[in-house]
Amino acid sequence: ETGVTQTPRHLVMGMTNKKSLKCEQHLGHNAMYWYKQSAKKPLELMFVYNFKEQTENNSVPSRFSPECPNSSHLFLHLHTLQPEDSALYLCASSQGRDRFTYEQYFGPGTRLTVT
Amino acid sequence: AQSVTQLGSHVSVSEGALVLLRCNYSSSVPPYLFWYVQYPNQGLQLLLKYTSAATLVKGINGFEAEFKKSETSFHLTKPSAHMSDAAEYFCAVSAKASRGNEKLTFGTGTRLTIIP
């Protein structure tokens, strides 16, 4: 595997379900990100982890719970979601704050549908 | 604070014609600027970046962009459009942070359609 991978690619869940999204980066990066991409809206940054520490929570509802066990893996735990949470969830990684290399590398995304 | 404005949510050009996608930014500190492309059902792929070196930046797939500080612009161009260029394009700005991780602010995207 190369780059940033995300599983599953598609997920349909009911509002009472609990599910998790997984992201893995194979680039040796130290920072990882979750974004939400909804139709006709700008890309929304949700969470940022740097060296496994959460450094940003962009006022995300508590029904979204991130977890970063190490610099290569990032999870997004989902529970009691709402239909408006249906979107494409993108994971990204970058080298991290101590290097002036700002480009982020994105995974293919998980298309989430909440019914 | 930083922001990005992409003029035109939809742009259509004929195959072989010039592609011009517009991006204006606002940043209180010297910015880093990026263009990303997103093909259907895929994530974002970096096309090119400006990080305070040369103002004319060349990227993948024949795209280039010019940083113009006086106009606060970073427009994306390609001399001759190809059918495979049909996608959504995002401009993004990141400001150097004295501490903490970098943060990208994205524009709303421009959907490029290529007319055969």
Side-chain angles (χ1 to χ4, degrees):
Chain A
E1 291 279 16
T2 58
V4 181
T5 57
Q6 289 187 242
T7 54
R9 293 293 309 276
H10 300 272
L11 178 63
V12 179
M13 59 186 288
M15 289 191 285
T16 58
N17 291 158
K18 288 185 180 181
K19 296 286 185 183
S20 296
L21 309 184
K22 179 183 175 183
C23 175
E24 184 173 1
Q25 59 94 1
H26 310 267
L27 300 168
H29 290 166
N30 295 306
M32 297 187 77
Y33 310 76
W34 279 118
Y35 287 88
K36 177 182 179 183
Q37 187 177 33
S38 305
K40 299 180 181 178
K41 283 187 173 182
L43 211 59
E44 299 173 54
L45 178 65
M46 300 175 71
F47 301 103
V48 182
Y49 278 82
N50 214 323
F51 294 91
K52 301 188 299 178
E53 289 186 24
Q54 188 180 122
T55 56
E56 182 131 1
N57 177 336
N58 208 20
S59 302
V60 180
S62 59
R63 57 185 183 270
F64 294 91
S65 174
E67 179 191 359
C68 187
N70 55 60
S71 293
S72 298
H73 294 86
L74 184 64
F75 296 89
L76 188 62
H77 304 299
L78 316 171
H79 64 98
T80 58
L81 294 191
Q82 304 298 312
E84 60 265 28
D85 297 323
S86 297
L88 182 67
Y89 289 84
L90 292 165
C91 174
S93 70
S94 68
Q95 285 186 313
R97 67 183 182 200
D98 293 329
R99 291 175 181 252
F100 291 108
T101 305
Y102 286 73
E103 61 262 35
Q104 295 179 15
Y105 294 82
F106 285 78
T110 295
R111 174 70 62 188
L112 173 67
T113 303
V114 181
T115 60
Chain B
Q2 55 201 40
S3 65
V4 169
T5 302
Q6 290 185 243
L7 298 175
S9 58
H10 290 87
V11 170
S12 295
V13 301
S14 298
E15 190 175 14
L18 171 72
V19 175
L20 170 61
L21 304 182
R22 300 178 186 273
C23 173
N24 288 89
Y25 70 90
S26 171
S27 177
S28 55
V29 297
Y32 286 176
L33 293 157
F34 306 83
W35 275 100
Y36 284 85
V37 60
Q38 185 178 30
Y39 298 102
N41 301 314
Q42 294 188 29
L44 277 67
Q45 179 184 3
L46 181 67
L47 267 180
L48 49 79
K49 64 178 179 180
Y50 165 78
T51 56
S52 75
T55 56
L56 182 62
V57 180
K58 294 187 184 298
I60 61 172
N61 302 338
F63 283 94
E64 62 182 37
E66 186 172 8
F67 172 71
K68 292 187 176 180
K69 184 178 178 181
S70 61
E71 299 178 8
T72 60
S73 69
F74 190 57
H75 301 330
L76 181 70
T77 60
K78 182 173 180 178
S80 176
H82 191 273
M83 294 301 294
S84 60
D85 295 327
E88 186 136 23
Y89 292 80
F90 293 90
C91 183
V93 62
S94 175
K96 283 185 182 182
S98 57
R99 59 178 179 168
N101 48 275
E102 60 267 30
K103 181 175 172 179
L104 288 180
T105 301
F106 286 86
T108 50
T110 297
R111 183 167 299 279
L112 177 65
T113 301
I114 310 298
I115 304 165

